[in-house]
Amino acid sequence: MENSKRLVHLDLKGAPPKVAYFEKIFPLLKKWGATGLLIEYEDMFPYWGPLSEIASEYAYSKECITSILQLAQENHLTVIPLVQSIGHFEFVLKREKFKSLREVPNYPMALCPSNSDSLLAVCMMIDQVVELHPGIRFFHIGADEVYHLGVCEKCKRRMAEEGISAQQLFLVHVKAILCHIKETHPNINSIMWDDMLRHIELPVLLNSGLGDLVEPMVWHYLTTFMLPSDIWDKYSTVFPSIWIASAFKGATGANVYATNIAYHVNNHTMWLDVMAKMGSKFKKVQGCALTGWQRYDHYAVLCELLPQALPSLGICLLTLQQGSFTAEVHATISQDLKFHSPLPLNPFERGAVPPCQFPGCGIYLEMLAFLQLDASYGEFVHDERVLTWMNEYMMEKKFSNPVHIEPILAQSSVILDGISKIYSQLELALKEVYHPNTVEEWLKVFVEPKMKKMSDVVEKAKIQLSNP
C-alpha cells in the first residue's frame, strides 16, 4: 500500500488539541508517510446561523479552521472532513432545538430518516463545513452504527406504505445526502463507513444506487479478520473504489488510557495481508484511514489521548508505508521521538519507560507512570490485608490492630504521594495541549477518585493508630 493514501483520523468529539499542537505534529505525520487528515469535527466546528448552538464552548473558530488547513497544506496533507449523517448524532440531538429529529424520543443517538427536517439539518451542516474547506476533493458522511432504525411510528408507517425494510430506509436517507453533495458540490467524492452495508443482500445494494455515489470505508480494528466472508466479492460488484480503516488507538476499550502499540501493529499487518490478497478485486483501493478514537460516543469518557498515542501512530504509519513492521521501523520512530532506547510496544508490561522528547511527551510519560501506579493501587485496594484488617466495618468500630495498620498506612502513603505528584505534573502537561475542560475531565475521571480513595485510607489509618 506504499502508493495509497494514508489518512490520520482526528476524532475531535473528545480532547480536541489546541491548534498550536497541530503545528508541532503535522511535520512528523508527513515524515512518517501520512498523506492526509480525516477530521471528524463533531461539535468542534464553528457552525453558524440556525446551527450555531451545535458548536461547543471550545469549538474552533473560523480562523482556527483556516490555520489548520494552512498547516495541513504546508505539510502536504489533504484534509477530508467528516460529518455524521444519521447515527452518532448525539452532539446535535442532545440540544432542545433538535430533539424532534430523534428516531427514539428518549435516545439522542440516531436521526429519524422519515423526518424531512433531518435531511435539511444534515445538508446544512455539510454545506457549512464545505464552505470553510474550499477545494476539498473528498467528504466523509459517517453513517456508521445506526442502532435505532425504523422504530418510530413515522418510520413504521413509511415502511409499510412504501413496502421497504429498515435497511432500505437507511439506504434512501444516505442516497439523498449523497445526491445533495453530488449536485451541490460536484467536485467532491463522498465516503461513508461500511458497517451498515455489510449484511445487506447484493440485489438490494445494487438497486440502491449507492455504487455511483459513494466509496465505502471498510473498518476493522481487530488483529484477526472477522468480517463477512463474501464482503469483497459483494463490495467489488457494487463499488469500483473502496477505502479501508485501521486503528492506531482508541479501539481496545472505552476507558483505556494507554495504547498497546503491539496490538495496533498487528491490526495493520493484518490489513496489509488482506489487501494483498483482495485489493485486486477493485478498480482502486484509495487508501487507509488510521482511526484514533477519542470517545466511543459523545457521552463516553475519554480514552487514549493523542499525545500519549503518538508513538503508536508513528509506528503504524511507517508500517503501512514500508509494507511491514520491522526493527528498522521501530528504531526510526524511536529516534524521531528522541527515545533514549527503543520505545516500549506494550505499556501494560511493567518496566521502566526510557526518557523521550516529542510534542506532548509529558502527557505520554506521566500517563505511563500513572498506569504502573494504577496497577499498584488496584492491588492495594484488593489486598487481603486491607480487606481483613481495614475494612469499613473495622474502621467504624475503631477495632484494629496497629501491627497491621502501620504497614497499610506506609504503603497507602507511598501510593498517595505518587498519585499526587503525577496529578500535578500531568495537569501541567495537559494544559500545554488541551483546553481546560479536557484537563478537568481527564483528571476528575481517572486520577481524582483514586487520590480521594487513598487519602481516605491514610486518614482513617492515622485515626486508628492515634487511638490504640
mmCIF file with all atom_site columns, all heavy atoms in Angstrom, residues 31 82 95 124 137 176 212 214 290 296 313-314 355 362 364-365 376 383 402-403 417 419 453 460 462:
data_model
loop_
_atom_site.group_PDB
_atom_site.id
_atom_site.type_symbol
_atom_site.label_atom_id
_atom_site.label_alt_id
_atom_site.label_comp_id
_atom_site.label_asym_id
_atom_site.label_entity_id
_atom_site.label_seq_id
_atom_site.pdbx_PDB_ins_code
_atom_site.Cartn_x
_atom_site.Cartn_y
_atom_site.Cartn_z
_atom_site.occupancy
_atom_site.B_iso_or_equiv
_atom_site.pdbx_formal_charge
_atom_site.auth_seq_id
_atom_site.auth_comp_id
_atom_site.auth_asym_id
_atom_site.auth_atom_id
_atom_site.pdbx_PDB_model_num
ATOM 1   N N   . LYS A 1 31  ? 6.417   13.179 7.716   1.00 0.00 ? 31  LYS A N   1
ATOM 2   C CA  . LYS A 1 31  ? 7.664   12.419 7.682   1.00 0.00 ? 31  LYS A CA  1
ATOM 3   C C   . LYS A 1 31  ? 7.401   10.921 7.748   1.00 0.00 ? 31  LYS A C   1
ATOM 4   O O   . LYS A 1 31  ? 8.116   10.128 7.114   1.00 0.00 ? 31  LYS A O   1
ATOM 5   C CB  . LYS A 1 31  ? 8.561   12.848 8.837   1.00 0.00 ? 31  LYS A CB  1
ATOM 6   C CG  . LYS A 1 31  ? 9.920   12.159 8.861   1.00 0.00 ? 31  LYS A CG  1
ATOM 7   C CD  . LYS A 1 31  ? 10.783  12.691 9.996   1.00 0.00 ? 31  LYS A CD  1
ATOM 8   C CE  . LYS A 1 31  ? 12.169  12.033 9.971   1.00 0.00 ? 31  LYS A CE  1
ATOM 9   N NZ  . LYS A 1 31  ? 13.030  12.530 11.079  1.00 0.00 ? 31  LYS A NZ  1
ATOM 10  N N   . LEU A 1 82  ? -15.260 15.058 8.119   1.00 0.00 ? 82  LEU A N   1
ATOM 11  C CA  . LEU A 1 82  ? -16.248 14.012 8.400   1.00 0.00 ? 82  LEU A CA  1
ATOM 12  C C   . LEU A 1 82  ? -17.385 14.624 9.211   1.00 0.00 ? 82  LEU A C   1
ATOM 13  O O   . LEU A 1 82  ? -17.145 15.187 10.278  1.00 0.00 ? 82  LEU A O   1
ATOM 14  C CB  . LEU A 1 82  ? -15.618 12.838 9.140   1.00 0.00 ? 82  LEU A CB  1
ATOM 15  C CG  . LEU A 1 82  ? -16.478 11.572 9.323   1.00 0.00 ? 82  LEU A CG  1
ATOM 16  C CD1 . LEU A 1 82  ? -15.589 10.353 9.574   1.00 0.00 ? 82  LEU A CD1 1
ATOM 17  C CD2 . LEU A 1 82  ? -17.485 11.689 10.467  1.00 0.00 ? 82  LEU A CD2 1
ATOM 18  N N   . ARG A 1 95  ? -29.421 18.716 21.934  1.00 0.00 ? 95  ARG A N   1
ATOM 19  C CA  . ARG A 1 95  ? -29.912 20.087 22.019  1.00 0.00 ? 95  ARG A CA  1
ATOM 20  C C   . ARG A 1 95  ? -31.432 20.110 21.916  1.00 0.00 ? 95  ARG A C   1
ATOM 21  O O   . ARG A 1 95  ? -32.031 19.408 21.099  1.00 0.00 ? 95  ARG A O   1
ATOM 22  C CB  . ARG A 1 95  ? -29.321 20.937 20.888  1.00 0.00 ? 95  ARG A CB  1
ATOM 23  C CG  . ARG A 1 95  ? -27.796 20.944 20.837  1.00 0.00 ? 95  ARG A CG  1
ATOM 24  C CD  . ARG A 1 95  ? -27.210 21.682 22.004  1.00 0.00 ? 95  ARG A CD  1
ATOM 25  N NE  . ARG A 1 95  ? -25.747 21.778 21.890  1.00 0.00 ? 95  ARG A NE  1
ATOM 26  C CZ  . ARG A 1 95  ? -24.978 22.362 22.795  1.00 0.00 ? 95  ARG A CZ  1
ATOM 27  N NH1 . ARG A 1 95  ? -25.524 22.908 23.878  1.00 0.00 ? 95  ARG A NH1 1
ATOM 28  N NH2 . ARG A 1 95  ? -23.663 22.406 22.631  1.00 0.00 ? 95  ARG A NH2 1
ATOM 29  N N   . MET A 1 124 ? -27.422 21.102 5.634   1.00 0.00 ? 124 MET A N   1
ATOM 30  C CA  . MET A 1 124 ? -26.951 22.420 6.054   1.00 0.00 ? 124 MET A CA  1
ATOM 31  C C   . MET A 1 124 ? -25.600 22.312 6.748   1.00 0.00 ? 124 MET A C   1
ATOM 32  O O   . MET A 1 124 ? -24.694 23.135 6.525   1.00 0.00 ? 124 MET A O   1
ATOM 33  C CB  . MET A 1 124 ? -27.976 23.071 6.994   1.00 0.00 ? 124 MET A CB  1
ATOM 34  C CG  . MET A 1 124 ? -27.665 24.534 7.320   1.00 0.00 ? 124 MET A CG  1
ATOM 35  S SD  . MET A 1 124 ? -28.871 25.271 8.460   1.00 0.00 ? 124 MET A SD  1
ATOM 36  C CE  . MET A 1 124 ? -30.368 25.118 7.481   1.00 0.00 ? 124 MET A CE  1
ATOM 37  N N   . ARG A 1 137 ? -11.536 17.527 -2.088  1.00 0.00 ? 137 ARG A N   1
ATOM 38  C CA  . ARG A 1 137 ? -11.903 16.544 -3.101  1.00 0.00 ? 137 ARG A CA  1
ATOM 39  C C   . ARG A 1 137 ? -12.745 15.395 -2.539  1.00 0.00 ? 137 ARG A C   1
ATOM 40  O O   . ARG A 1 137 ? -13.397 14.668 -3.284  1.00 0.00 ? 137 ARG A O   1
ATOM 41  C CB  . ARG A 1 137 ? -10.650 15.977 -3.764  1.00 0.00 ? 137 ARG A CB  1
ATOM 42  C CG  . ARG A 1 137 ? -9.888  16.998 -4.592  1.00 0.00 ? 137 ARG A CG  1
ATOM 43  C CD  . ARG A 1 137 ? -8.689  16.371 -5.271  1.00 0.00 ? 137 ARG A CD  1
ATOM 44  N NE  . ARG A 1 137 ? -9.064  15.162 -6.017  1.00 0.00 ? 137 ARG A NE  1
ATOM 45  C CZ  . ARG A 1 137 ? -8.559  13.956 -5.764  1.00 0.00 ? 137 ARG A CZ  1
ATOM 46  N NH1 . ARG A 1 137 ? -7.670  13.778 -4.802  1.00 0.00 ? 137 ARG A NH1 1
ATOM 47  N NH2 . ARG A 1 137 ? -8.933  12.918 -6.491  1.00 0.00 ? 137 ARG A NH2 1
ATOM 48  N N   . ALA A 1 176 ? -30.039 10.253 -0.420  1.00 0.00 ? 176 ALA A N   1
ATOM 49  C CA  . ALA A 1 176 ? -30.470 11.645 -0.516  1.00 0.00 ? 176 ALA A CA  1
ATOM 50  C C   . ALA A 1 176 ? -29.346 12.602 -0.141  1.00 0.00 ? 176 ALA A C   1
ATOM 51  O O   . ALA A 1 176 ? -29.154 13.645 -0.775  1.00 0.00 ? 176 ALA A O   1
ATOM 52  C CB  . ALA A 1 176 ? -31.690 11.872 0.373   1.00 0.00 ? 176 ALA A CB  1
ATOM 53  N N   . ASP A 1 212 ? -22.596 4.445  -7.556  1.00 0.00 ? 212 ASP A N   1
ATOM 54  C CA  . ASP A 1 212 ? -22.058 5.577  -8.315  1.00 0.00 ? 212 ASP A CA  1
ATOM 55  C C   . ASP A 1 212 ? -21.917 6.835  -7.470  1.00 0.00 ? 212 ASP A C   1
ATOM 56  O O   . ASP A 1 212 ? -21.498 7.873  -7.982  1.00 0.00 ? 212 ASP A O   1
ATOM 57  C CB  . ASP A 1 212 ? -22.977 5.888  -9.511  1.00 0.00 ? 212 ASP A CB  1
ATOM 58  C CG  . ASP A 1 212 ? -23.056 4.734  -10.493 1.00 0.00 ? 212 ASP A CG  1
ATOM 59  O OD1 . ASP A 1 212 ? -22.031 4.039  -10.670 1.00 0.00 ? 212 ASP A OD1 1
ATOM 60  O OD2 . ASP A 1 212 ? -24.146 4.517  -11.053 1.00 0.00 ? 212 ASP A OD2 1
ATOM 61  N N   . VAL A 1 214 ? -20.817 6.839  -3.801  1.00 0.00 ? 214 VAL A N   1
ATOM 62  C CA  . VAL A 1 214 ? -20.006 6.828  -2.579  1.00 0.00 ? 214 VAL A CA  1
ATOM 63  C C   . VAL A 1 214 ? -18.950 5.731  -2.640  1.00 0.00 ? 214 VAL A C   1
ATOM 64  O O   . VAL A 1 214 ? -19.113 4.728  -3.357  1.00 0.00 ? 214 VAL A O   1
ATOM 65  C CB  . VAL A 1 214 ? -20.919 6.627  -1.340  1.00 0.00 ? 214 VAL A CB  1
ATOM 66  C CG1 . VAL A 1 214 ? -21.464 5.196  -1.286  1.00 0.00 ? 214 VAL A CG1 1
ATOM 67  C CG2 . VAL A 1 214 ? -20.198 6.984  -0.044  1.00 0.00 ? 214 VAL A CG2 1
ATOM 68  N N   . LEU A 1 290 ? -6.191  5.724  9.321   1.00 0.00 ? 290 LEU A N   1
ATOM 69  C CA  . LEU A 1 290 ? -5.755  5.216  10.619  1.00 0.00 ? 290 LEU A CA  1
ATOM 70  C C   . LEU A 1 290 ? -6.586  5.930  11.673  1.00 0.00 ? 290 LEU A C   1
ATOM 71  O O   . LEU A 1 290 ? -6.344  7.094  12.005  1.00 0.00 ? 290 LEU A O   1
ATOM 72  C CB  . LEU A 1 290 ? -4.269  5.472  10.847  1.00 0.00 ? 290 LEU A CB  1
ATOM 73  C CG  . LEU A 1 290 ? -3.285  4.705  9.962   1.00 0.00 ? 290 LEU A CG  1
ATOM 74  C CD1 . LEU A 1 290 ? -3.112  5.414  8.620   1.00 0.00 ? 290 LEU A CD1 1
ATOM 75  C CD2 . LEU A 1 290 ? -1.920  4.579  10.647  1.00 0.00 ? 290 LEU A CD2 1
ATOM 76  N N   . TYR A 1 296 ? -15.980 6.698  22.680  1.00 0.00 ? 296 TYR A N   1
ATOM 77  C CA  . TYR A 1 296 ? -16.779 5.714  21.952  1.00 0.00 ? 296 TYR A CA  1
ATOM 78  C C   . TYR A 1 296 ? -18.111 6.303  21.506  1.00 0.00 ? 296 TYR A C   1
ATOM 79  O O   . TYR A 1 296 ? -18.714 5.833  20.567  1.00 0.00 ? 296 TYR A O   1
ATOM 80  C CB  . TYR A 1 296 ? -16.980 4.470  22.789  1.00 0.00 ? 296 TYR A CB  1
ATOM 81  C CG  . TYR A 1 296 ? -15.802 3.503  22.687  1.00 0.00 ? 296 TYR A CG  1
ATOM 82  C CD1 . TYR A 1 296 ? -14.506 3.974  22.495  1.00 0.00 ? 296 TYR A CD1 1
ATOM 83  C CD2 . TYR A 1 296 ? -15.987 2.135  22.774  1.00 0.00 ? 296 TYR A CD2 1
ATOM 84  C CE1 . TYR A 1 296 ? -13.432 3.102  22.394  1.00 0.00 ? 296 TYR A CE1 1
ATOM 85  C CE2 . TYR A 1 296 ? -14.924 1.250  22.676  1.00 0.00 ? 296 TYR A CE2 1
ATOM 86  C CZ  . TYR A 1 296 ? -13.650 1.746  22.482  1.00 0.00 ? 296 TYR A CZ  1
ATOM 87  O OH  . TYR A 1 296 ? -12.586 0.874  22.369  1.00 0.00 ? 296 TYR A OH  1
ATOM 88  N N   . LEU A 1 313 ? 0.987   5.927  16.557  1.00 0.00 ? 313 LEU A N   1
ATOM 89  C CA  . LEU A 1 313 ? 0.653   6.479  15.254  1.00 0.00 ? 313 LEU A CA  1
ATOM 90  C C   . LEU A 1 313 ? 1.865   6.448  14.324  1.00 0.00 ? 313 LEU A C   1
ATOM 91  O O   . LEU A 1 313 ? 1.761   6.071  13.151  1.00 0.00 ? 313 LEU A O   1
ATOM 92  C CB  . LEU A 1 313 ? 0.143   7.915  15.407  1.00 0.00 ? 313 LEU A CB  1
ATOM 93  C CG  . LEU A 1 313 ? -0.174  8.680  14.121  1.00 0.00 ? 313 LEU A CG  1
ATOM 94  C CD1 . LEU A 1 313 ? -1.149  7.913  13.242  1.00 0.00 ? 313 LEU A CD1 1
ATOM 95  C CD2 . LEU A 1 313 ? -0.723  10.060 14.455  1.00 0.00 ? 313 LEU A CD2 1
ATOM 96  N N   . GLY A 1 314 ? 3.028   6.832  14.851  1.00 0.00 ? 314 GLY A N   1
ATOM 97  C CA  . GLY A 1 314 ? 4.236   6.825  14.033  1.00 0.00 ? 314 GLY A CA  1
ATOM 98  C C   . GLY A 1 314 ? 4.581   5.437  13.530  1.00 0.00 ? 314 GLY A C   1
ATOM 99  O O   . GLY A 1 314 ? 4.878   5.245  12.338  1.00 0.00 ? 314 GLY A O   1
ATOM 100 N N   . PRO A 1 355 ? 13.529  7.707  28.741  1.00 0.00 ? 355 PRO A N   1
ATOM 101 C CA  . PRO A 1 355 ? 13.280  9.135  28.503  1.00 0.00 ? 355 PRO A CA  1
ATOM 102 C C   . PRO A 1 355 ? 13.055  9.396  27.021  1.00 0.00 ? 355 PRO A C   1
ATOM 103 O O   . PRO A 1 355 ? 13.574  8.681  26.156  1.00 0.00 ? 355 PRO A O   1
ATOM 104 C CB  . PRO A 1 355 ? 14.566  9.797  29.002  1.00 0.00 ? 355 PRO A CB  1
ATOM 105 C CG  . PRO A 1 355 ? 15.181  8.810  29.936  1.00 0.00 ? 355 PRO A CG  1
ATOM 106 C CD  . PRO A 1 355 ? 14.821  7.458  29.392  1.00 0.00 ? 355 PRO A CD  1
ATOM 107 N N   . GLY A 1 362 ? 5.298   14.891 27.766  1.00 0.00 ? 362 GLY A N   1
ATOM 108 C CA  . GLY A 1 362 ? 4.969   14.953 29.192  1.00 0.00 ? 362 GLY A CA  1
ATOM 109 C C   . GLY A 1 362 ? 3.713   14.172 29.501  1.00 0.00 ? 362 GLY A C   1
ATOM 110 O O   . GLY A 1 362 ? 3.627   13.469 30.515  1.00 0.00 ? 362 GLY A O   1
ATOM 111 N N   . TYR A 1 364 ? 2.560   11.644 27.669  1.00 0.00 ? 364 TYR A N   1
ATOM 112 C CA  . TYR A 1 364 ? 2.912   10.241 27.451  1.00 0.00 ? 364 TYR A CA  1
ATOM 113 C C   . TYR A 1 364 ? 3.600   9.655  28.691  1.00 0.00 ? 364 TYR A C   1
ATOM 114 O O   . TYR A 1 364 ? 3.200   8.595  29.205  1.00 0.00 ? 364 TYR A O   1
ATOM 115 C CB  . TYR A 1 364 ? 3.824   10.142 26.229  1.00 0.00 ? 364 TYR A CB  1
ATOM 116 C CG  . TYR A 1 364 ? 4.464   8.781  26.023  1.00 0.00 ? 364 TYR A CG  1
ATOM 117 C CD1 . TYR A 1 364 ? 3.783   7.766  25.370  1.00 0.00 ? 364 TYR A CD1 1
ATOM 118 C CD2 . TYR A 1 364 ? 5.759   8.526  26.470  1.00 0.00 ? 364 TYR A CD2 1
ATOM 119 C CE1 . TYR A 1 364 ? 4.369   6.522  25.175  1.00 0.00 ? 364 TYR A CE1 1
ATOM 120 C CE2 . TYR A 1 364 ? 6.351   7.284  26.273  1.00 0.00 ? 364 TYR A CE2 1
ATOM 121 C CZ  . TYR A 1 364 ? 5.654   6.287  25.625  1.00 0.00 ? 364 TYR A CZ  1
ATOM 122 O OH  . TYR A 1 364 ? 6.241   5.061  25.443  1.00 0.00 ? 364 TYR A OH  1
ATOM 123 N N   . LEU A 1 365 ? 4.620   10.332 29.179  1.00 0.00 ? 365 LEU A N   1
ATOM 124 C CA  . LEU A 1 365 ? 5.405   9.796  30.294  1.00 0.00 ? 365 LEU A CA  1
ATOM 125 C C   . LEU A 1 365 ? 4.585   9.725  31.577  1.00 0.00 ? 365 LEU A C   1
ATOM 126 O O   . LEU A 1 365 ? 4.655   8.726  32.315  1.00 0.00 ? 365 LEU A O   1
ATOM 127 C CB  . LEU A 1 365 ? 6.653   10.656 30.508  1.00 0.00 ? 365 LEU A CB  1
ATOM 128 C CG  . LEU A 1 365 ? 7.707   10.577 29.392  1.00 0.00 ? 365 LEU A CG  1
ATOM 129 C CD1 . LEU A 1 365 ? 8.777   11.647 29.593  1.00 0.00 ? 365 LEU A CD1 1
ATOM 130 C CD2 . LEU A 1 365 ? 8.337   9.186  29.346  1.00 0.00 ? 365 LEU A CD2 1
ATOM 131 N N   . SER A 1 376 ? -0.576  -0.718 40.969  1.00 0.00 ? 376 SER A N   1
ATOM 132 C CA  . SER A 1 376 ? -0.279  -0.859 42.402  1.00 0.00 ? 376 SER A CA  1
ATOM 133 C C   . SER A 1 376 ? -1.491  -0.489 43.244  1.00 0.00 ? 376 SER A C   1
ATOM 134 O O   . SER A 1 376 ? -1.775  -1.134 44.261  1.00 0.00 ? 376 SER A O   1
ATOM 135 C CB  . SER A 1 376 ? 0.904   0.036  42.783  1.00 0.00 ? 376 SER A CB  1
ATOM 136 O OG  . SER A 1 376 ? 2.065   -0.344 42.082  1.00 0.00 ? 376 SER A OG  1
ATOM 137 N N   . ASP A 1 383 ? -6.133  -5.993 48.277  1.00 0.00 ? 383 ASP A N   1
ATOM 138 C CA  . ASP A 1 383 ? -5.205  -6.760 49.103  1.00 0.00 ? 383 ASP A CA  1
ATOM 139 C C   . ASP A 1 383 ? -5.956  -7.400 50.273  1.00 0.00 ? 383 ASP A C   1
ATOM 140 O O   . ASP A 1 383 ? -6.765  -6.749 50.943  1.00 0.00 ? 383 ASP A O   1
ATOM 141 C CB  . ASP A 1 383 ? -4.096  -5.831 49.621  1.00 0.00 ? 383 ASP A CB  1
ATOM 142 C CG  . ASP A 1 383 ? -2.966  -6.595 50.277  1.00 0.00 ? 383 ASP A CG  1
ATOM 143 O OD1 . ASP A 1 383 ? -3.224  -7.314 51.277  1.00 0.00 ? 383 ASP A OD1 1
ATOM 144 O OD2 . ASP A 1 383 ? -1.821  -6.465 49.817  1.00 0.00 ? 383 ASP A OD2 1
ATOM 145 N N   . PRO A 1 402 ? -2.694  -2.337 65.431  1.00 0.00 ? 402 PRO A N   1
ATOM 146 C CA  . PRO A 1 402 ? -1.638  -1.484 64.866  1.00 0.00 ? 402 PRO A CA  1
ATOM 147 C C   . PRO A 1 402 ? -0.579  -2.256 64.081  1.00 0.00 ? 402 PRO A C   1
ATOM 148 O O   . PRO A 1 402 ? 0.011   -1.707 63.157  1.00 0.00 ? 402 PRO A O   1
ATOM 149 C CB  . PRO A 1 402 ? -1.031  -0.815 66.105  1.00 0.00 ? 402 PRO A CB  1
ATOM 150 C CG  . PRO A 1 402 ? -2.125  -0.823 67.113  1.00 0.00 ? 402 PRO A CG  1
ATOM 151 C CD  . PRO A 1 402 ? -2.870  -2.103 66.885  1.00 0.00 ? 402 PRO A CD  1
ATOM 152 N N   . VAL A 1 403 ? -0.349  -3.506 64.439  1.00 0.00 ? 403 VAL A N   1
ATOM 153 C CA  . VAL A 1 403 ? 0.687   -4.265 63.746  1.00 0.00 ? 403 VAL A CA  1
ATOM 154 C C   . VAL A 1 403 ? 0.359   -4.445 62.263  1.00 0.00 ? 403 VAL A C   1
ATOM 155 O O   . VAL A 1 403 ? 1.246   -4.598 61.423  1.00 0.00 ? 403 VAL A O   1
ATOM 156 C CB  . VAL A 1 403 ? 0.906   -5.636 64.421  1.00 0.00 ? 403 VAL A CB  1
ATOM 157 C CG1 . VAL A 1 403 ? -0.246  -6.602 64.122  1.00 0.00 ? 403 VAL A CG1 1
ATOM 158 C CG2 . VAL A 1 403 ? 2.233   -6.259 63.977  1.00 0.00 ? 403 VAL A CG2 1
ATOM 159 N N   . ASP A 1 417 ? 1.216   9.631  47.652  1.00 0.00 ? 417 ASP A N   1
ATOM 160 C CA  . ASP A 1 417 ? 2.243   10.594 47.268  1.00 0.00 ? 417 ASP A CA  1
ATOM 161 C C   . ASP A 1 417 ? 2.543   10.493 45.777  1.00 0.00 ? 417 ASP A C   1
ATOM 162 O O   . ASP A 1 417 ? 2.670   11.509 45.078  1.00 0.00 ? 417 ASP A O   1
ATOM 163 C CB  . ASP A 1 417 ? 3.517   10.351 48.078  1.00 0.00 ? 417 ASP A CB  1
ATOM 164 C CG  . ASP A 1 417 ? 4.597   11.374 47.762  1.00 0.00 ? 417 ASP A CG  1
ATOM 165 O OD1 . ASP A 1 417 ? 4.355   12.575 47.958  1.00 0.00 ? 417 ASP A OD1 1
ATOM 166 O OD2 . ASP A 1 417 ? 5.689   10.961 47.313  1.00 0.00 ? 417 ASP A OD2 1
ATOM 167 N N   . ILE A 1 419 ? 0.499   9.345  43.362  1.00 0.00 ? 419 ILE A N   1
ATOM 168 C CA  . ILE A 1 419 ? -0.640  9.851  42.596  1.00 0.00 ? 419 ILE A CA  1
ATOM 169 C C   . ILE A 1 419 ? -0.681  11.371 42.626  1.00 0.00 ? 419 ILE A C   1
ATOM 170 O O   . ILE A 1 419 ? -0.941  12.027 41.600  1.00 0.00 ? 419 ILE A O   1
ATOM 171 C CB  . ILE A 1 419 ? -1.960  9.259  43.128  1.00 0.00 ? 419 ILE A CB  1
ATOM 172 C CG1 . ILE A 1 419 ? -2.004  7.755  42.896  1.00 0.00 ? 419 ILE A CG1 1
ATOM 173 C CG2 . ILE A 1 419 ? -3.155  9.927  42.455  1.00 0.00 ? 419 ILE A CG2 1
ATOM 174 C CD1 . ILE A 1 419 ? -3.240  7.073  43.467  1.00 0.00 ? 419 ILE A CD1 1
ATOM 175 N N   . LYS A 1 453 ? -9.629  8.145  47.300  1.00 0.00 ? 453 LYS A N   1
ATOM 176 C CA  . LYS A 1 453 ? -9.672  6.858  47.994  1.00 0.00 ? 453 LYS A CA  1
ATOM 177 C C   . LYS A 1 453 ? -8.447  6.660  48.877  1.00 0.00 ? 453 LYS A C   1
ATOM 178 O O   . LYS A 1 453 ? -8.561  6.265  50.046  1.00 0.00 ? 453 LYS A O   1
ATOM 179 C CB  . LYS A 1 453 ? -9.767  5.735  46.955  1.00 0.00 ? 453 LYS A CB  1
ATOM 180 C CG  . LYS A 1 453 ? -9.606  4.324  47.512  1.00 0.00 ? 453 LYS A CG  1
ATOM 181 C CD  . LYS A 1 453 ? -10.762 3.917  48.394  1.00 0.00 ? 453 LYS A CD  1
ATOM 182 C CE  . LYS A 1 453 ? -10.619 2.461  48.826  1.00 0.00 ? 453 LYS A CE  1
ATOM 183 N NZ  . LYS A 1 453 ? -11.712 2.045  49.732  1.00 0.00 ? 453 LYS A NZ  1
ATOM 184 N N   . LYS A 1 460 ? -7.920  7.490  57.715  1.00 0.00 ? 460 LYS A N   1
ATOM 185 C CA  . LYS A 1 460 ? -8.510  6.527  58.652  1.00 0.00 ? 460 LYS A CA  1
ATOM 186 C C   . LYS A 1 460 ? -7.447  5.712  59.357  1.00 0.00 ? 460 LYS A C   1
ATOM 187 O O   . LYS A 1 460 ? -7.586  5.378  60.549  1.00 0.00 ? 460 LYS A O   1
ATOM 188 C CB  . LYS A 1 460 ? -9.473  5.611  57.894  1.00 0.00 ? 460 LYS A CB  1
ATOM 189 C CG  . LYS A 1 460 ? -10.756 6.309  57.481  1.00 0.00 ? 460 LYS A CG  1
ATOM 190 C CD  . LYS A 1 460 ? -11.695 5.380  56.741  1.00 0.00 ? 460 LYS A CD  1
ATOM 191 C CE  . LYS A 1 460 ? -13.001 6.090  56.389  1.00 0.00 ? 460 LYS A CE  1
ATOM 192 N NZ  . LYS A 1 460 ? -13.935 5.240  55.629  1.00 0.00 ? 460 LYS A NZ  1
ATOM 193 N N   . LYS A 1 462 ? -4.456  6.725  60.154  1.00 0.00 ? 462 LYS A N   1
ATOM 194 C CA  . LYS A 1 462 ? -3.869  7.616  61.174  1.00 0.00 ? 462 LYS A CA  1
ATOM 195 C C   . LYS A 1 462 ? -4.788  7.740  62.390  1.00 0.00 ? 462 LYS A C   1
ATOM 196 O O   . LYS A 1 462 ? -4.320  7.759  63.543  1.00 0.00 ? 462 LYS A O   1
ATOM 197 C CB  . LYS A 1 462 ? -3.594  8.992  60.572  1.00 0.00 ? 462 LYS A CB  1
ATOM 198 C CG  . LYS A 1 462 ? -2.439  9.018  59.598  1.00 0.00 ? 462 LYS A CG  1
ATOM 199 C CD  . LYS A 1 462 ? -2.229  10.416 59.031  1.00 0.00 ? 462 LYS A CD  1
ATOM 200 C CE  . LYS A 1 462 ? -1.010  10.455 58.113  1.00 0.00 ? 462 LYS A CE  1
ATOM 201 N NZ  . LYS A 1 462 ? -0.829  11.799 57.508  1.00 0.00 ? 462 LYS A NZ  1
#
